[in-house]
Amino acid sequence: MTTTAGGVRASARVLARGDGRGGTVLPVLEGEGPLAVRRTRGSGAEARVMLVGAMSGPLGGDHFTVAAHAAAGARLRVGSAAATLALPGQDKTGARYDVRLTVDDDAELSWLPEQLISAGGSDLHVTTSVELAAGARLLLREEQVLGRAGEEPGRLTSRLTVRIDGRCVLDQELACGPGAPGGWDGPAGLAGHRAVGQLVVVRPGFATEPPAARVFEEGAAVLPLVGPAVLVTAVAPDALRLRRLLDGALASLD
């Protein structure tokens, strides 16, 4: 970790590998500063890791980077101990949070952090890049809450890209809050909702039997992507309703 006049630079890295006996080992489990990583009790072949926020943030000027790699044979689940709260800081250039996920053939990654809350006055740019081999499996959840109770949101820009076997199947960006392009909160955008989220589910079996595009419930939709992948998007008035929509849509895919 380094601290500069502009903010904190910190990173975390997780590498999981199959142990050859049906289990998963973690040869790399590194974190610094506000990005502490802890192994928790696993389940069967799955190893579980928790991101633990050791400091407030990200604040304006901070730059956090998290990388997780599930190598062949690994079953890895990554969560977080609490929501991430983007806060304003003395540096007005904004903060960055970069996530890099890699999943090899015969490997599975579940990326399931808690919500990201965009507090009033904050300015955060999040990028999530996912690289998957042809035989990889992925469950990725993103949830964003615009403002705390009774508070206007900060500026939040979030970009997600997913590649399978070198082919881009998803590249989307969402910008919300002060200074975002007009219409983000209108009928064609969030329509007044303050929680937005999505799931990306990649399973090799979807290549031959993709789920049908449909509205799951009011506020949620299921959309098959090119390749063995499905995108679930949802908007809701609050984080609790958002999680229920995403969990219900995921269960409907089984």
Side-chain angles (χ1 to χ4, degrees):
M1 182 185 75
T2 60
T3 303
T4 68
V8 173
R9 305 291 187 270
S11 63
R13 191 160 67 101
V14 179
L15 172 61
R17 296 186 184 279
D19 64 3
R21 303 186 301 275
T24 300
V25 296
L26 297 170
V28 178
L29 192 64
E30 302 174 345
E32 55 185 9
L35 297 175
V37 288
R38 302 287 185 267
R39 181 167 190 166
T40 60
R41 185 182 298 274
S43 176
E46 181 182 75
R48 296 187 177 183
V49 172
M50 194 72 68
L51 291 171
V52 180
M55 296 168 56
S56 297
L59 307 175
D62 291 349
H63 188 174
F64 297 169
T65 303
V66 178
H69 183 179
R75 304 292 181 266
L76 175 63
R77 180 187 182 102
V78 181
S80 61
T84 297
L85 180 60
L87 294 166
Q90 294 183 349
D91 191 300
K92 303 304 180 184
T93 61
R96 293 189 59 88
Y97 201 128
D98 296 329
V99 177
R100 305 287 181 262
L101 307 178
T102 305
V103 190
D104 294 349
D105 279 317
D106 188 31
E108 180 174 346
L109 172 62
S110 296
W111 180 259
L112 301 170
E114 295 302 310
Q115 298 90 356
L116 168 63
I117 302 172
S118 175
S122 65
D123 185 356
L124 177 63
H125 194 287
V126 181
T127 61
T128 303
S129 299
V130 186
E131 294 285 345
L132 303 168
R137 295 170 63 92
L138 173 76
L139 170 59
L140 179 149
R141 182 181 68 212
E142 289 190 339
E143 298 170 311
Q144 294 149 355
V145 179
L146 306 180
R148 294 168 288 192
E151 176 186 62
E152 288 300 310
R155 172 70 183 270
L156 175 63
T157 304
S158 176
R159 184 174 183 182
L160 170 64
T161 59
V162 179
R163 293 180 178 274
I164 301 177
D165 197 23
R167 182 183 188 184
C168 185
V169 301
L170 180 65
D171 187 347
Q172 68 176 26
E173 183 171 286
L174 174 68
C176 304
W184 68 269
D185 199 24
L190 301 187
H193 293 96
R194 284 294 179 263
V196 57
Q198 56 195 349
L199 297 171
V200 179
V201 185
V202 178
R203 299 173 182 170
F206 286 164
T208 54
E209 297 183 10
R214 67 188 189 279
V215 174
F216 170 69
E217 288 184 20
E218 183 178 357
V222 177
L223 178 67
L225 302 174
V226 176
V230 171
L231 173 67
V232 177
T233 58
V235 294
D238 54 50
L240 180 60
R241 174 61 178 167
L242 178 67
R243 178 66 63 86
R244 288 175 176 170
L245 283 172
L246 293 176
D247 285 350
L250 177 62
S252 76
L253 297 176
D254 294 330

